[in-house]
Amino acid sequence: AILSAGLILFAYDKWWIGPPPELSIAVLPFENMSADPEQEYFSDGVSEEILNVLAQIESLKVIARHSSVSFKGKDIDIATMAEQMGVQHILEGSVRRSGDRVRITAQLIDARDSSHLWSETYDRDYSAENLFSIQSEVARAITGRLRIALTGEDEERLAKVPTENTEAYAAYLLGRQWLNKRKVAELADAVEQFSLAIELDPQFAAAYAGLADACGLYGSYSGGQSNDRCPSSLAGEEQLARKAPELDPECAEAWITLGTKIWVQAVHMHETEPLPRIREKFVESINAFERGLELNPALSDAYHGYGTNLYFVHVYPDPPFGWIKAWQAGRWESVFDKGLEVDPLSIP
């Protein structure tokens, strides 16, 4: 009887899914209301950027993009979506871009009864400054409605303008759209768009991160084909990735990209470098992942890279005993669990 009770308590603690936290939200892809269907990249990009802004607020649980996008184009009610993602609130909206004007509508829904807690329409001139302003205003309105007290650091991040060049920002959003496709032709287009964004604004940190990601994936998916806009070596890709956090140390994507590039370099160093140098690389990669996830915990792909890093014996002092202790403590398992928590409908 004692054994049975123990098993029940263990199962309850391990697998029972309780009610979602009150301060939790998923951002659905915004609907493209523009006359041009090709503008869908823009509406998707706006909603993803709002998601990333919200994810920087420490007391708010935000579900990652992969899970939210899985409902795109599906006729599923709000309550079901919220239950599957484990959130209390849903943010949905639409984007209409016409000439020099943009209209963004957003509404916050309580998943318990599908009631509308807040809604707003922003009708502005089309500019990068206005787009970032709208994203910040949406985040402030949501946190206000949920009674979340913003810290001074939160306010600084909300006021941030990554680029003042509107065309650079549009190119960046389009590059992200192509990057998410994960196909050779689209990855080549992503390289072009991120390169264009950098040409238009050489100080645009996120564009450097995007270019480093696109170049790495293009080389892998194309069977090693070269691209004139990409570095010709892994060391070159790492140097490109380093440019992003140098320009903007508060850019989460920059740190995740850098962590990935350093990790790839470390893996390829086994035949040429001494073990202390390899360990130094792995530790540097881990630090980059941790900084990126500290800035934006909703970047679910980062948990995979971070957790995979922790598998390597080189990471731990006193091998193999340091590795064994980490395994016994479930160090990397806890990272993957966190990845599933913020992205429950995708394997991180």
Side-chain angles (χ1 to χ4, degrees), residues 80-151:
T80 300
M81 288 190 286
E83 181 181 7
Q84 291 186 20
M85 290 187 283
V87 295
Q88 193 70 68
H89 303 93
I90 296 287
L91 181 70
E92 62 179 12
S94 63
V95 178
R96 180 189 298 275
R97 179 180 166 189
S98 179
D100 295 331
R101 301 289 293 178
V102 62
R103 173 178 291 178
I104 298 176
T105 299
Q107 51 189 4
L108 179 66
I109 302 171
D110 189 326
R112 289 171 293 190
D113 55 10
S114 295
S115 61
H116 288 65
L117 300 178
W118 164 86
S119 65
E120 187 64 73
T121 297
Y122 304 88
D123 198 341
R124 309 274 175 84
D125 289 334
Y126 172 65
S127 70
E129 182 179 2
N130 281 337
L131 289 171
F132 290 124
S133 177
I134 292 171
Q135 292 164 19
S136 297
E137 288 177 41
V138 169
R140 286 192 180 91
I142 290 172
T143 55
R145 188 64 183 81
L146 298 181
R147 298 181 180 178
I148 297 174
L150 296 178
T151 65

Side-chain angles (χ1 to χ4, degrees), residues 3 11 17 31 51 56 86 100 134 141 144 151 158 160 176 195 210 232 236 241 265-266 274 293 311 320 334:
L3 178 60
I17 300 175
E31 185 178 357
L51 184 157
Q56 296 177 58
D100 295 331
I134 292 171
T151 65
L158 290 179
K160 184 178 173 182
R176 280 290 170 194
S195 298
S232 58
Q265 273 283 83
L293 287 170
Y311 271 118
S334 66

Side-chain angles (χ1 to χ4, degrees), residues 44 65 175-184 186-187 221:
D44 284 349
R65 169 190 171 276
R176 280 290 170 194
Q177 179 82 347
W178 293 133
L179 183 64
N180 291 333
K181 299 289 185 181
R182 294 296 200 270
K183 295 181 180 179
V184 175
E186 282 83 354
L187 287 170
Y221 283 49

